[in-house]
Amino acid sequence: MSVKVYEMAEVSFRGPEDGNPFKDVWIVATVESGERSYAVPGFYDGNGIYKVRLMPDAEGVYTITLKSNDEDLNGKTASVTCSGRSPYLHGPVRVIDEWHFAYADGTPYYENGTTCYAWTHQPKELRKRTLRTLKGGPFNKIRFCAFPKHYRYNENVPECFVFEGSEEKGFDFTRFNPSFFKTLEDCIESLQKMGIEADIILFHPYDRWGFSRMPRETDEFYLRYMVARLWAYGNVWWSFANEFDFMKEKTAEDFDLYGTIVQTIDPANHLRSIHNARIFFDHTKPWITHCSIQRYDMQRIPEWHEQYHKPIVMDEIRYEGDIPNTWGNLTGLQLVDYYWEGLCYGGFCGHGETYLNPREELWWSKGGELVGSAPKRLAFYNKILAEMPNDFVPGRLGIARPCISSPQGIHLYYMGNTQSGEADFTLPDAGLYEADIIDVWHMRVTTLKQTFEGPEFSVSLPGKPYHAVRLRRIEQIEASLKED
Amino acid sequence: MSVKVYEMAEVSFRGPEDGNPFKDVWIVATVESGERSYAVPGFYDGNGIYKVRLMPDAEGVYTITLKSNDEDLNGKTASVTCSGRSPYLHGPVRVIDEWHFAYADGTPYYENGTTCYAWTHQPKELRKRTLRTLKGGPFNKIRFCAFPKHYRYNENVPECFVFEGSEEKGFDFTRFNPSFFKTLEDCIESLQKMGIEADIILFHPYDRWGFSRMPRETDEFYLRYMVARLWAYGNVWWSFANEFDFMKEKTAEDFDLYGTIVQTIDPANHLRSIHNARIFFDHTKPWITHCSIQRYDMQRIPEWHEQYHKPIVMDEIRYEGDIPNTWGNLTGLQLVDYYWEGLCYGGFCGHGETYLNPREELWWSKGGELVGSAPKRLAFYNKILAEMPNDFVPGRLGIARPCISSPQGIHLYYMGNTQSGEADFTLPDAGLYEADIIDVWHMRVTTLKQTFEGPEFSVSLPGKPYHAVRLRRIEQIEASLKED
């Protein structure tokens, strides 16, 4: 078998079918490539088929030797050749410092996620529409649940579940359902092709089937299977919970254990986070790679940075929509305003949409189409953000206007609700600056004809809310152009 | 001499004029009325005149006996008769529980302040215009500084100062300037007649004269004089600092000492607070009666209540205006939105206006006229607030829509940026409810024809931001009407 760098490779083995292979048989592969050797968990895929998945991170030959409690499987070998690179595979996203993400190959990753909790549990036709929408959209991450969701507008019964069984007959918590995983993996792969990270929510409280109340050993059994199946997809992130503090059956110690287990067994060391409702999890825990936060007081982002020293993803800032729930009826303008405010305080905001339609297909839960006014503004936001070097840090705290600054002399201020016709700036460095006035709603960038002599100067503004100001040190820009 | 209840009474005595009576002579009055006896500090008013001021809180005769280190003054007596009540004098505002204020006579006081830092230091003509504006306005408190302010748009030299001297010749920090106090007291009295509290800022950092850098003994000398002169005005509040943490020459211990001194010597026990820039003062200190906060993240008000158990006045939430300073260019809409959001989280917001005009007469500093769009909406806000019983408490925390609820069955929700056409409510009590939709910007109250059976129901909304919803239990309303 041959794959490209960061592509998922799968090798299959035939093994015992009788009894309950999910429980009875274990396989672990020792993977060797050049000097390197590491362990990779394998899994049972039903019908007597056992699989090991790899994600080679460099060109070369990878040999696989199985260990198993099954005599036939034990000692079996296979190999995978990795050669060439794909234009869309950059490897797993990593945390590169307390502010930023980047792909494993070094490509900057500026997080901009959306939420469709239950999209993979919807019928194929709807999943296709969701993927079509995502393809044209501004998002490079999507949050969704492994277990189905029971909630207002989320009453329909999924076709299949993580575990064998059905809503009527109940579930066998000792057997996984390979056809569920086939669908899930198709979804993850489709996302990967579009450059979209799959932020998989492992546990959540909105449950009528018992998946939120499994005993610890079943939780572990499930987590180990999830990792074995999914780790080789470069775009996987592990979110240990949606609203962990609403899961009354689980303790912080449970999540700590689960986080540590996944950290230990996931060969790719995918990003790990845990999302709050009212109370924050202790994001200083070593297994947590970044803060996944449900809040919308962007001003506090600097405080959380101070506390956790990890990138901050404002994964739930409420949604653009028109439903009665307090969190589901923001205007698009408010959502876009939050995005810019959050960015300039040093975080990355997340999108969601909750417009009700007669089919009760709300994007936030089921996917489908986006009808809101925010998404195209978020594409514009991406464009401006992509023009920031991936070394920016928030420049100011407290009551002053939020801003992010690159040491290369680029400063992006969000002016939010200002209606002044003028703004004063005090920059860290002297020099000649150009100023761009960025209308975040009408998506226009106007470069002022005048240049400004730093470090202190005033810039004319349109006198209306919802603009950003980008100040660029001209020397710096010329220098960087020469380098290219 | 005869005064009404809560009216200022003044008795004068002739005494020594030579030397420096401010420093050399002290007088304290023992005031007796019926069974009661208490000490009141007197003060030197220049030209050999010594004064004691009273604010009788009940009808009766008040006899005054002086103690002094001056032999002639020592033992002198006078008396004041208090009879009758004035319609506009309700006595000092008190904190009645951790949420609310009321006047000493029990009348509810719903705080709605504005800020004109240096208005008393402006020429008489401008002070008159400021008073005229206040008379027609929605404010029942004004924050201003005893010392003049040096800042952008605040460069003009005041006619006189707390201390004898001038900007050119310097100041004598051992002598007060009675004509300065005459002006200040006229201002306070004019405010009192309009039912406006005078929140006097005792120290602040914006200074080119040295008033922010006086030694501790001069600070104390000044505070004792301020209390002796001003305590008898019922509408005085003591704000120990504007932006205390920007006063690099003072420590928290200094302010603690000053707060405790004033608490000890002020016979009326006027409200005391201290206002922050970046860092909060420890509002749990016993001398602090309520939290005076510069912030605009209204969501945190419940957290501060939890921490301090005192009423919260959001004294600086930035200003409606158009100046470049980050805090001075809010839209009127944003300011009004903050007011309602703050209220429904359990705080009282404060107004300010910073529209620049050719005379550089910005309301926030000098007073003059208000030109913004917020004030008339704040009058409407007052009207709605006055319809809330003074026992309301915030009903919800966290991500839910903020609301204040009276045990009498009135619930006021601020829907903020919602654009839903519907909202769900879960009330603490069953019963039949009426619903008012309150358009906070267009200042309209629409009572829905339908009634609602609680505790859980949905209400139709206009589908646009900036509305409040008031739910009134109908039984309660009928019952209270019968009681009247």
Side-chain angles (χ1 to χ4, degrees):
Chain A
M1 146 146 241
S2 175
V3 293
K4 294 185 171 160
V5 176
Y6 297 127
E7 192 177 359
M8 195 271 277
E10 180 179 283
V11 290
S12 301
F13 306 89
R14 190 153 281 286
E17 223 174 319
D18 50 340
N20 179 357
F22 293 105
K23 273 285 184 199
D24 304 339
V25 181
W26 58 262
I27 60 168
V28 177
T30 302
V31 179
E32 286 170 291
S33 177
E35 308 267 285
R36 290 196 297 166
S37 169
Y38 53 95
V40 167
F43 62 93
Y44 181 60
D45 197 31
N47 300 316
I49 303 296
Y50 293 77
K51 289 180 174 174
V52 172
R53 287 175 175 168
L54 296 192
M55 175 179 50
D57 56 3
E59 296 190 329
V61 177
Y62 293 75
T63 63
I64 291 156
T65 311
L66 291 194
K67 285 185 193 165
S68 176
N69 61 345
D70 179 78
E71 276 181 23
D72 288 343
L73 287 167
N74 193 42
K76 281 213 169 131
T77 61
S79 80
V80 167
T81 303
C82 173
S83 80
R85 289 185 171 268
S86 149
Y88 68 84
L89 293 174
H90 301 287
V93 171
R94 307 298 188 195
V95 166
I96 56 168
D97 60 32
E98 62 182 292
W99 313 100
H100 302 102
F101 299 99
Y103 293 99
D105 72 356
T107 308
Y109 174 79
Y110 297 110
E111 207 271 350
N112 183 358
T114 188
T115 292
C116 304
Y117 286 119
W119 80 279
T120 65
H121 303 105
Q122 305 309 314
K124 187 169 188 179
E125 172 275 334
L126 179 49
R127 295 201 304 271
K128 272 190 170 172
R129 286 197 277 126
T130 305
L131 288 167
R132 201 180 310 134
T133 302
L134 286 169
K135 193 166 186 181
F139 307 112
N140 60 15
K141 192 191 83 177
I142 181 169
R143 298 169 69 229
F144 59 92
C145 301
F147 291 120
K149 182 161 182 159
H150 172 68
Y151 202 81
R152 192 180 201 174
Y153 316 123
N154 280 271
E155 310 287 341
N156 58 331
V157 183
E159 284 163 16
C160 53
F161 296 82
V162 167
F163 293 101
E164 270 300 339
S166 67
E167 187 159 331
E168 299 76 35
K169 297 180 186 160
F171 297 95
D172 180 349
F173 288 96
T174 69
R175 287 173 191 269
F176 297 101
N177 182 347
S179 48
F180 167 84
F181 281 93
K182 179 74 182 65
T183 299
L184 178 62
E185 288 156 8
D186 283 350
C187 291
I188 293 171
E189 231 176 279
S190 300
L191 293 172
Q192 188 173 37
K193 284 185 183 141
M194 298 190 280
I196 297 175
E197 303 295 298
D199 198 0
I200 301 171
I201 297 167
L202 296 165
F203 297 101
H204 71 83
Y206 304 105
D207 173 40
R208 68 171 181 262
W209 305 275
F211 304 128
S212 65
R213 299 185 300 273
M214 305 185 301
R216 200 182 257 199
E217 64 178 35
T218 310
D219 284 346
E220 279 193 44
F221 178 59
Y222 153 73
L223 288 173
R224 289 176 184 277
Y225 194 75
M226 289 290 280
V227 172
R229 288 204 73 117
L230 304 181
W231 82 268
Y233 294 97
N235 60 328
V236 162
W237 298 21
W238 307 117
S239 173
F240 283 78
N242 188 56
E243 301 186 338
F244 84 93
D245 47 327
F246 281 0
M247 299 196 72
K248 296 301 169 206
E249 289 82 8
K250 299 211 187 304
T251 64
E253 288 68 36
D254 290 328
F255 286 116
D256 256 349
L257 174 68
Y258 301 162
T260 308
I261 288 173
V262 170
Q263 180 180 28
T264 308
I265 65 173
D266 171 6
N269 197 26
H270 289 288
L271 294 178
R272 290 172 301 270
S273 70
I274 183 162
H275 166 275
N276 65 288
R278 302 284 165 91
I279 300 158
F280 281 20
F281 202 87
D282 177 4
H283 295 298
T284 63
K285 294 283 179 186
W287 62 268
I288 298 177
T289 54
H290 63 284
C291 306
S292 169
I293 291 179
Q294 173 172 197
R295 286 295 284 270
Y296 51 92
D297 37 357
M298 305 303 163
Q299 295 170 57
R300 299 193 67 180
I301 293 173
E303 188 183 315
W304 301 325
H305 263 302
E306 194 82 6
Q307 198 174 348
Y308 303 119
H309 300 289
K310 294 177 184 179
I312 286 171
V313 178
M314 301 296 289
D315 261 322
E316 210 177 320
I317 59 175
R318 303 181 293 176
Y319 310 124
E320 178 181 356
D322 62 1
I323 61 170
N325 304 63
T326 52
W327 42 262
N329 47 43
L330 289 183
T331 58
L333 177 62
Q334 177 67 77
L335 189 87
V336 170
D337 179 55
Y338 281 151
Y339 254 76
W340 286 88
E341 192 190 8
L343 175 69
C344 290
Y345 275 120
F348 298 100
C349 286
H351 166 269
E353 193 179 285
T354 46
Y355 284 103
L356 187 57
N357 57 36
R359 301 179 307 282
E360 296 205 349
E361 273 174 28
L362 290 80
W363 173 263
W364 134 91
S365 56
K366 296 182 182 167
E369 283 73 38
L370 286 165
V371 299
S373 56
K376 71 174 178 175
R377 276 82 184 192
L378 300 183
F380 175 75
Y381 159 97
N382 286 346
K383 186 181 153 293
I384 301 297
L385 180 51
E387 291 167 7
M388 282 303 283
N390 201 24
D391 58 4
F392 65 81
V393 291
R396 293 182 176 206
L397 302 180
I399 56 165
R401 201 63 64 186
C403 111
I404 49 175
S405 294
S406 160
Q408 301 174 41
I410 307 184
H411 306 273
L412 182 69
Y413 290 79
Y414 185 51
M415 309 306 291
N417 46 21
T418 183
Q419 62 173 351
S420 176
E422 193 188 349
D424 301 329
F425 297 97
T426 304
L427 302 181
D429 297 307
L432 210 61
Y433 287 83
E434 282 192 336
D436 303 313
I437 308 299
I438 300 169
D439 182 330
V440 307
W441 186 250
H442 299 100
M443 299 172 284
R444 277 191 296 259
V445 180
T446 310
T447 301
L448 299 184
K449 289 192 182 119
Q450 191 192 347
T451 54
F452 301 90
E453 210 178 308
E456 283 190 47
F457 51 84
S458 287
V459 173
S460 291
L461 298 182
K464 284 182 211 159
Y466 312 122
H467 289 80
V469 175
R470 184 172 54 190
L471 305 175
R472 292 174 283 105
R473 204 168 59 215
I474 302 177
E475 297 93 324
Q476 185 55 38
I477 285 163
E478 286 169 352
S480 100
L481 283 179
K482 276 179 212 149
E483 278 163 31
D484 285 349
Chain B
M1 150 148 237
S2 175
V3 292
K4 294 186 171 159
V5 176
Y6 297 127
E7 192 177 359
M8 195 272 276
E10 182 179 281
V11 290
S12 301
F13 305 90
R14 189 153 282 284
E17 224 175 318
D18 52 340
N20 180 357
F22 293 106
K23 272 285 181 201
D24 303 339
V25 181
W26 58 262
I27 60 168
V28 177
T30 303
V31 179
E32 287 169 291
S33 178
E35 309 267 284
R36 288 195 299 164
S37 168
Y38 52 96
V40 167
F43 62 93
Y44 181 59
D45 198 31
N47 301 316
I49 302 296
Y50 292 77
K51 290 182 173 173
V52 171
R53 288 176 173 168
L54 294 192
M55 177 179 48
D57 55 3
E59 296 190 329
V61 177
Y62 294 74
T63 63
I64 292 157
T65 311
L66 291 195
K67 286 185 193 166
S68 176
N69 60 346
D70 179 79
E71 277 182 23
D72 286 344
L73 287 168
N74 193 40
K76 282 211 167 132
T77 60
S79 80
V80 167
T81 303
C82 173
S83 80
R85 289 184 172 267
S86 150
Y88 67 85
L89 293 173
H90 300 288
V93 171
R94 307 297 188 197
V95 165
I96 57 168
D97 60 32
E98 62 181 293
W99 312 100
H100 302 102
F101 299 99
Y103 293 97
D105 73 355
T107 308
Y109 174 79
Y110 297 111
E111 206 272 350
N112 183 359
T114 188
T115 292
C116 303
Y117 285 119
W119 79 279
T120 65
H121 302 105
Q122 305 309 315
K124 188 169 187 178
E125 173 275 335
L126 180 47
R127 295 201 303 271
K128 273 191 169 171
R129 286 197 277 125
T130 305
L131 288 166
R132 200 179 310 134
T133 303
L134 285 169
K135 192 167 189 180
F139 307 112
N140 60 13
K141 192 191 82 176
I142 181 168
R143 298 169 69 229
F144 58 92
C145 302
F147 292 118
K149 181 160 182 159
H150 172 67
Y151 201 82
R152 192 180 201 173
Y153 316 123
N154 280 271
E155 310 286 343
N156 57 331
V157 183
E159 284 163 17
C160 52
F161 295 82
V162 169
F163 292 102
E164 269 301 337
S166 68
E167 186 158 333
E168 299 77 34
K169 297 181 186 159
F171 298 95
D172 180 350
F173 288 96
T174 69
R175 287 174 191 270
F176 297 102
N177 182 346
S179 49
F180 167 83
F181 281 93
K182 179 74 182 66
T183 299
L184 178 62
E185 288 156 9
D186 283 350
C187 290
I188 294 170
E189 231 176 280
S190 300
L191 294 172
Q192 189 173 36
K193 284 184 183 143
M194 297 190 280
I196 298 174
E197 302 295 297
D199 197 0
I200 302 172
I201 297 167
L202 296 165
F203 297 101
H204 71 82
Y206 304 106
D207 173 40
R208 67 170 180 262
W209 306 275
F211 304 128
S212 65
R213 298 185 301 272
M214 305 185 301
R216 200 181 257 198
E217 64 177 36
T218 309
D219 285 346
E220 279 193 45
F221 178 58
Y222 154 72
L223 289 172
R224 289 177 185 278
Y225 194 75
M226 289 289 281
V227 172
R229 287 204 75 116
L230 303 181
W231 82 269
Y233 294 96
N235 60 330
V236 162
W237 299 21
W238 308 117
S239 173
F240 283 78
N242 188 55
E243 302 187 336
F244 85 92
D245 47 327
F246 282 0
M247 300 197 71
K248 295 304 169 204
E249 288 83 6
K250 300 213 187 305
T251 64
E253 288 69 36
D254 289 329
F255 287 115
D256 257 350
L257 175 68
Y258 302 162
T260 308
I261 288 173
V262 171
Q263 180 179 27
T264 308
I265 65 173
D266 171 6
N269 198 26
H270 289 287
L271 294 178
R272 290 172 301 272
S273 71
I274 183 163
H275 167 274
N276 65 288
R278 302 286 166 90
I279 301 157
F280 281 19
F281 202 87
D282 176 4
H283 296 297
T284 63
K285 295 283 178 187
W287 62 267
I288 297 177
T289 54
H290 63 285
C291 306
S292 168
I293 290 180
Q294 174 173 197
R295 287 294 283 270
Y296 51 93
D297 36 357
M298 305 304 163
Q299 294 171 58
R300 298 193 68 180
I301 292 172
E303 189 182 314
W304 300 326
H305 264 301
E306 193 81 8
Q307 198 173 349
Y308 303 119
H309 300 287
K310 295 178 183 178
I312 286 172
V313 178
M314 301 297 287
D315 261 321
E316 209 178 320
I317 59 173
R318 302 180 293 175
Y319 309 123
E320 178 180 357
D322 62 1
I323 60 169
N325 303 62
T326 53
W327 42 262
N329 47 45
L330 290 183
T331 58
L333 177 62
Q334 177 66 78
L335 189 86
V336 170
D337 179 56
Y338 281 150
Y339 255 76
W340 285 88
E341 192 190 8
L343 175 69
C344 291
Y345 275 120
F348 298 100
C349 287
H351 167 268
E353 192 178 286
T354 46
Y355 284 103
L356 187 58
N357 57 36
R359 301 181 306 284
E360 296 206 348
E361 272 174 27
L362 290 81
W363 174 263
W364 134 90
S365 55
K366 297 184 183 167
E369 283 74 36
L370 286 165
V371 298
S373 56
K376 72 174 177 175
R377 275 85 184 190
L378 299 184
F380 176 75
Y381 160 97
N382 287 347
K383 185 181 156 294
I384 302 297
L385 181 51
E387 292 167 8
M388 282 302 285
N390 201 23
D391 59 4
F392 65 81
V393 291
R396 292 182 177 210
L397 302 180
I399 57 166
R401 201 63 63 187
C403 112
I404 49 176
S405 294
S406 161
Q408 300 174 40
I410 308 184
H411 306 273
L412 183 69
Y413 290 79
Y414 185 50
M415 309 306 290
N417 45 23
T418 183
Q419 61 172 352
S420 175
E422 193 187 350
D424 301 329
F425 297 97
T426 305
L427 302 181
D429 297 306
L432 211 60
Y433 288 83
E434 283 192 334
D436 304 311
I437 308 299
I438 300 168
D439 182 331
V440 307
W441 186 250
H442 300 100
M443 300 172 284
R444 278 190 295 260
V445 180
T446 311
T447 300
L448 300 184
K449 290 193 181 117
Q450 191 191 345
T451 54
F452 301 89
E453 210 179 308
E456 284 189 47
F457 51 85
S458 287
V459 174
S460 291
L461 298 182
K464 286 181 210 161
Y466 312 120
H467 289 80
V469 175
R470 184 172 53 190
L471 305 174
R472 293 175 282 105
R473 205 169 58 214
I474 301 177
E475 297 91 325
Q476 184 55 41
I477 285 163
E478 287 170 349
S480 100
L481 283 179
K482 275 179 214 151
E483 278 163 32
D484 286 349

